[in-house]
Amino acid sequence: MATPTIWADYRADKAYDEMIAAGGKPRDACASLSQYLQSLGMDAIKGRLSAAEAAIMEMGITFTVYSDEGNIDRAWPFDIIPRLIDFQEWQIVEAGLKQRLKALNCFINDVYNQQQIIKDGLVPADLINSSSNFRKECLGMQPKFGTWANICGSDLVRAGDGKLYVLEDNLRVPSGVSYMIENRVITKRIFPELLENLNILPVDDYPTQLFEMLASLAPDTDDTPQIAVLTPGIYNSAYFEHAFLAQQMGAELVEGGDLLVKDDDCVYMRTIKGLEKVDVIYRRIDDLFLDPEVFHKDSVLGVKGLMRAWKAGNVALANAPGAGVADDKVVYAYVPEMIRYYLNEEPILPNVPTYLCSNPEQCAYVLAHLPELVVKPANESGGYGMLVGPHATQKEIKQFHKLIQDNPRNYIAQPTLALSTCPTLCNDKLEPRHIDLRPFILQGENSFVTAGGLTRVALRAGSLVVNSSQGGGSKDTWIINREQ
Amino acid sequence: MLSRSAERLYWMARYLERTENTARLISATMHLIYDLPYGVELGWRNLLNICGVEEAFYQRFKNPSEQNTTRFLLADMSNQGSLLASLSFARENIRTSRELMPDEAWQQVNEMYLYANNNLDSLSNRRGRALFLQEIMAGCQRFTGFMAGSMSRSDSARFICIGRNLERADMTSRIMDFGTVLLAENRSTKMREYETILWINVLKSLSAVLMYRKHVRNRINGEDVLNFLLKNPDFPRAVVHCIEEITYCIKRLPNATELFPQLEQLEQEILAIEIKQTTPEQLHQVLDGLQAKFDDLHKQIAAMWFLNTLGEAELEKN
């Protein structure tokens, strides 16, 4: 009798599966990986899992969870089975992401200057005025290259039709890129023989690209710019990433207390030599905490006078304050129009169909179809405050009914997508779990897209919530080039 | 270099050195006490005294038994000076300074911390404890070795070096306090019989036996041991050597000139100590005085380069 294959019990019929096609055959790009896993057998795969877990502990790859008992550093939940995307497909995605960020930056720059898109009637004026991420303090600003969102993390999902859709664009302080890089480091440790035989695009040049992008933003281009990563500190859930990126770029990792704005409207950091000027700040602090002089008066995370320095053109902030105006799920619905309007191009990547509750007709539809829709607040991130209709209780549906009626502008709804699945090691066997993908896009003088991105996986069976703060894990993502 | 970073690296080095010293000291004491007969007035209690935690210990325990003492000094998180607490503080400081050091530096300290936490149960028996201490000492040495081989001798390295040597000088001076027991006029005949073994163990706790023998070609005696540990310019754990290392680093840091005379004076004071003409009581006072001076030096370093003590007005001048 033949040994039962590890794929024998794998049932991926609920959604599009990234590795196994209908009929149980592996997809072309995944054939080698699927065979390789088969040749290893389940016991050896479990051995590799232990190795991965040990590596994560030793490398100290953690994220912080806020809880009543204090902040706990948790080991990064990593699934060792990689997710593959064919290079041919990826080239299109990459072009689509660059196109999207370009249009978004045109939009933000327009919003804070001429507001032509509103005058031309494509976007309603109150959409901007009512956005909680619109900062009137930024009106009239023109950051270098017209780029406001220099670092963007867009979430992509593959639906039942096998196509990739953009679910949202994170333009404030998107995180996760360090885990993308660390995931590859772990994979190299546990599956070295596999990486040797396949042509997988490397991911570890991101810090170099980030550094160059940040350097291109420096106000004075003659000197080597002094670049700093501004973190809220060790209790922030993404502190690991802030330290990681600073370390990889050789930049200073600073907290608000390390910086000072003097009467000359320049930003300085407190060093052992005295004060040193800072040219570019990659800030990982939300707008409202940046500068107590302008925003939250009691913020101890920020730097007094930082906005003054930025407005005077003496320091570059990435992302620019106010960039989040386009990180709004209502604005999202208009991105395809923006691409046509600003770039005169057809969008390469499609949006997920979106109902705006601010529109009375669409709102009526949403309220009548709540059990089948996903409802999201316009400005939240991290998967908080969402309703997943098909998984919701009657009580939750009722609650959202009221929430939407009270504040329709604050909600959008989308059809519940059958997010694609990927084989994931659960309970000592491979089971399909829903995934998404967060590539990172940079735009300064030039544009750059990571090779792949961070694949997030909902580890609970059937769950569609992939956020690490809510029980999600991650996978290494391989862009595989099969042309020799 | 950021003032905050300088401070973190300095403390990281101090805590790691303290971790290693505590392991070393307890290891040496274990060896010594296994050798000693009953009736010698030396025991775990002296160790508490050297570590400066006698009072804290007696708030929690009545009996300075081997179990109580070693657990308090190694694994008790309520004791800020315990090995586990030092290692945790070191880890926290290095975790927040990762952008200043090669990745492996963090990984080594993190691994050591995980090892310590996973093996606390083994501390209750002598064999397990010995293995534990060995592993920690080896871990600290791996870290030091790694840094020596891959860290540029930049300001970062200088603050690490200052922290390490200040902590080291302090610990050596504390271990020398053993001498005040060993040289006491009223010490028992038993103790006199075992004197050589006791002095060898003092050297052992600082890994100094071989270097001492090479330097002092004579039978081991208290006066020579104390002189060696205080004034030998070449032995890395001798107090004077530590001060010279600190001086070397400080001279290469910005805005340091103010400190030069004080460092010079400190070194001269140490070299002027005459062990032969000092009674055990006086020795104890001299050592206490040294420790107070190390503390002053620390305060000046903090005022000069660290963030928390920098006044805004002073900064504006620069």
Side-chain angles (χ1 to χ4, degrees), chain A residues 186-187 216 231 267 332 350 398 404 415 428 461:
Chain A
I186 300 167
T187 307
S216 80
T231 173
V267 184
Y332 159 86
K398 256 194 188 151
I404 295 170
D428 293 347

Side-chain angles (χ1 to χ4, degrees), chain A residues 51-278:
Chain A
E53 284 169 348
I56 288 169
M57 287 307 284
E58 278 164 28
M59 291 160 73
I61 310 174
T62 59
F63 70 105
T64 314
V65 180
Y66 300 93
S67 77
D68 298 339
E69 293 98 63
N71 302 316
I72 310 156
D73 261 354
R74 289 228 192 115
W76 178 242
F78 172 67
D79 181 73
I80 60 171
I81 312 294
R83 180 260 184 98
L84 271 65
I85 299 173
D86 195 282
F87 180 60
Q88 302 285 335
E89 180 183 23
W90 186 251
Q91 285 176 302
I92 300 165
V93 174
E94 187 180 325
L97 289 167
K98 283 183 182 169
Q99 177 196 50
R100 205 172 162 94
L101 185 57
K102 257 185 212 149
L104 283 164
N105 271 313
C106 289
F107 171 73
I108 305 168
N109 205 40
D110 192 10
V111 162
Y112 289 114
N113 289 281
Q114 291 78 21
Q115 303 204 335
Q116 203 56 46
I117 196 166
I118 298 171
K119 288 175 192 155
D120 288 347
L122 264 84
V123 171
D126 67 318
L127 172 66
I128 308 300
N129 301 331
S130 64
S131 164
S132 62
N133 292 314
F134 175 73
R135 308 270 170 262
K136 59 180 190 321
E137 296 82 357
C138 300
L139 284 167
M141 279 298 294
Q142 296 262 7
K144 224 171 162 183
F145 315 116
T147 55
W148 292 66
N150 307 103
I151 302 111
C152 168
S154 292
D155 291 346
L156 305 182
V157 294
R158 198 190 291 279
D161 59 5
K163 273 202 257 175
L164 284 170
Y165 292 83
V166 181
L167 191 61
E168 59 183 60
D169 306 289
N170 295 284
L171 301 172
R172 283 174 279 178
V173 283
S175 62
V177 74
S178 59
Y179 301 113
M180 171 190 85
I181 298 169
E182 296 285 51
N183 285 355
R184 180 62 55 83
V185 174
I186 300 167
T187 307
K188 281 180 182 168
R189 276 208 203 183
I190 60 172
F191 292 133
E193 61 280 30
L194 189 51
L195 284 149
E196 195 184 318
N197 298 323
L198 296 174
N199 190 3
I200 314 287
L201 266 56
V203 295
D204 52 9
D205 61 337
Y206 178 80
T208 313
Q209 296 286 347
L210 178 62
F211 182 87
E212 277 169 19
M213 185 279 289
L214 291 170
S216 80
L217 303 178
D220 177 4
T221 42
D222 296 345
D223 255 347
T224 319
Q226 179 68 257
I227 298 175
V229 178
L230 176 60
T231 173
I234 186 137
Y235 297 112
N236 185 271
S237 59
Y239 180 80
F240 169 85
E241 174 157 307
H242 307 158
F244 177 89
L245 290 174
Q247 193 238 19
Q248 295 281 313
M249 292 193 289
E252 297 289 351
L253 179 66
V254 300
E255 293 174 27
D258 295 317
L259 299 180
L260 170 83
V261 179
K262 294 214 295 184
D263 293 341
D264 60 359
D265 288 350
C266 289
V267 184
Y268 296 88
M269 55 184 187
R270 301 177 158 110
T271 77
I272 56 167
K273 291 196 180 82
L275 297 178
E276 273 178 45
K277 192 164 175 283
V278 181

Side-chain angles (χ1 to χ4, degrees), chain B residues 108 161 193 263:
Chain B
Q108 280 184 351
C161 179
E193 269 174 46
L263 284 161

Side-chain angles (χ1 to χ4, degrees), chain A residues 328-392:
Chain A
D328 174 301
K329 294 189 176 66
V330 183
V331 171
Y332 159 86
Y334 293 92
V335 174
E337 277 311 307
M338 290 174 198
I339 293 172
R340 294 187 190 102
Y341 179 78
Y342 292 112
L343 308 179
N344 204 16
E345 294 172 11
E346 271 307 300
I348 302 171
L349 291 171
N351 258 16
V352 177
T354 301
Y355 304 99
L356 303 177
C357 299
S358 52
N359 174 314
E361 271 171 46
Q362 296 183 20
C363 188
Y365 177 87
V366 170
L367 291 172
H369 294 84
L370 279 180
E372 60 203 66
L373 297 171
V374 175
V375 181
K376 296 174 181 174
N379 291 311
E380 283 288 331
S381 61
Y384 293 103
M386 274 174 56
L387 174 84
V388 180
H391 296 177

